[in-house]
Amino acid sequence: MVEWIILAAISLVSGSLAVQWLLPRRRLTGDNFGLSAPASLFNAVFLFDGSRLISHSDIALEGFETVRDWADLCRLLQRDFPTFPETPDHVRRAGTLVIPAIDCTIERDVLCEWIDGIVRVQLRDSIDRPNTTQRDAQDPIRLAMEQAPYPVWLLDHQSNVRWCNAAYVSLVRKVRGQDADLTAPLFSDAGRDTRLGAKTRISISSDESENKLWFDLTVVEHPEGHLCYAVDINAIVAAEIAQRKFVQTMTKTFAQLSIGLAIFDRNRQLALFNPALIDLTTLPPDFLSCRPSLSSFFDRLRDQHMMPEPKNYRSWRSQMNDLLEAAEDGNYQETWSLPSGSVYSVSGRPHPDGAVAFLFEDITAEITLTRRFRSEMDLMQSVLDKLADAIAVFGDDGTLAFTNRAYQQLWGDTGEVGFKPDSVLDMTRTWQEQCAATPIFGEIRDFVEMRDNRTDWSSDLRLRNGTNLTCIVSPMQNGATIVRFAMVDAPKALPIQKISA
């Protein structure tokens, strides 16, 4: 009884000095005391006998219901101190309880003490608490959690926030405003639709902005509910969006190309292809969309007869490995002659991050044109070789283009073309060495280099061995020049006789 009287006296004395810790100076609206009061408030004390309030310091509860029992105080404190015990029995069993604020950035807590059947509840400000540096040194785990650079919070079994660190508080205020209720979970899916221990990508939106904030959410089991961790991945999401836009842009660009493109990622699976690849390889789109492996891709090409048939199928896999290694070095370049008669140019190029790109180009028209041109050139050369006159043709740049067999026999030329083509100056010097002195070789040089007023002309030559020649110089199309040497004493061809039946 004496101790109870002493406690009552202490409470009356402290009540005369206490200020309104729980309320600002102005009238508040709401159902909790709040931790954002502008004044430095401390030493608010309540005394309970069981659940009944028997005394308290001089606190004006203006704007709130009168605190008559423990349930009323619990209701007022549950938002900012969610771990405040629901009944005084928790205090009786523990003896002393320190209830931290849900916002760890606020240096306030609630001290509950059991003193001879009386429960004393004191709302303390930071100046009444033990030295925080000493406390953090004694509890390094709590210090690490509170100062972690990413949000960490504890959900109870009813999915209410029981504790959170400074990063979580900062995020809540950024998204919901300064007066947001910290007990209401910011990530509504945490602990309910997420797999325990696995990362889940989740987004939240601000009340004042449509921009989404992205996080990797990890939820683990905890005796009181679930412990949640959120890692900011906005930079990663922005990079992925930029990459997707880049890929879409490149895809639109590749779609206009006539060259088939197949890009395989580091795992050797098809990551990107364009419509031209479907047209050139006749591979079905659904097959390509399933991201086949590199070996499956080329196996399918072989089955479709869209690549040369290997002579030895047993060595096919090793050939594919050689092909891949050559492509990774950027040295793979082959011309495929297909059974259908088409000709493809296939090249492999390395790409960043271990990817490999294969380019398929239909060069059938080019090869056909080249072959036809070569055939025509061979035909023309055969015709020239049948002529008795020695012929030399110079291009518009003054270099020797080609000669015939009579020319090679006359001047002792092998007909082989070196790395540097012979010029008209080189050839006239060769002719001069085997002929008597004559000024026409200089005229030939001037004629070959002329562009206007060119007409046929001729002149006689005499070789040092006494052979007489007639040199005929004629202009051709595109600035080319033909020089013809005819034997003066050569026997004339007999006229063709018609044989009567």
Side-chain angles (χ1 to χ4, degrees), residues 401-449:
F402 51 85
T403 61
N404 66 345
R405 185 176 302 165
Y407 176 90
Q408 297 163 13
Q409 293 174 352
L410 176 62
W411 300 108
D413 189 3
T414 61
E416 296 180 358
V417 179
F419 291 103
K420 183 179 179 181
D422 295 324
S423 66
V424 65
L425 178 60
D426 298 330
M427 301 313 299
T428 53
R429 285 177 178 175
T430 301
W431 301 337
Q432 182 68 62
E433 293 174 356
Q434 302 183 43
C435 295
T438 177
I440 71 166
F441 294 124
E443 296 175 5
I444 293 175
R445 289 194 294 269
D446 295 339
F447 186 88
V448 170
E449 295 174 357

Side-chain angles (χ1 to χ4, degrees), residues 441-459:
F441 294 124
E443 296 175 5
I444 293 175
R445 289 194 294 269
D446 295 339
F447 186 88
V448 170
E449 295 174 357
M450 289 173 60
R451 293 295 177 266
D452 300 321
N453 302 322
R454 303 204 313 163
T455 58
D456 295 357
W457 62 276
S458 64
S459 180

Side-chain angles (χ1 to χ4, degrees), residues 36-47:
S36 58
S40 178
L41 307 176
F42 58 96
N43 280 344
V45 178
F46 296 84
L47 297 179

Side-chain angles (χ1 to χ4, degrees), residues 21-22 32-37 80-81 101-103 106 108 182:
W21 182 89
L22 297 175
N32 65 86
F33 285 97
L35 292 174
S36 58
D80 296 325
F81 301 91
I102 187 174
D103 185 353
I106 302 297
R108 293 174 179 171
L182 296 178

Side-chain angles (χ1 to χ4, degrees), residues 357-396:
F358 285 92
L359 304 177
F360 297 82
E361 183 179 5
D362 188 353
I363 59 173
T364 305
E366 178 184 347
I367 294 297
T368 302
L369 181 61
T370 301
R371 289 172 179 173
R372 182 179 303 171
F373 177 75
R374 288 178 179 175
S375 177
E376 293 176 352
M377 289 293 293
D378 292 341
L379 177 60
M380 184 183 66
Q381 186 68 48
S382 299
V383 173
L384 292 177
D385 288 341
K386 296 298 182 180
L387 298 178
D389 293 344
I391 296 176
V393 180
F394 294 91
D396 60 346

Side-chain angles (χ1 to χ4, degrees), residues 165-215:
N165 67 346
Y168 181 87
V169 173
S170 177
L171 179 61
V172 171
R173 290 175 177 172
K174 177 182 178 181
V175 174
R176 294 181 175 173
Q178 293 295 323
D179 297 330
D181 182 4
L182 296 178
T183 60
L186 182 61
F187 298 84
S188 58
D189 295 333
R192 183 176 55 192
D193 297 331
T194 55
R195 293 182 301 167
L196 296 180
K199 288 184 179 180
T200 302
R201 179 168 293 189
I202 193 171
S203 65
I204 57 176
S205 300
S206 172
D207 294 340
E208 300 178 356
S209 174
E210 295 181 355
N211 296 330
K212 291 184 177 181
L213 302 177
W214 290 91
F215 296 86

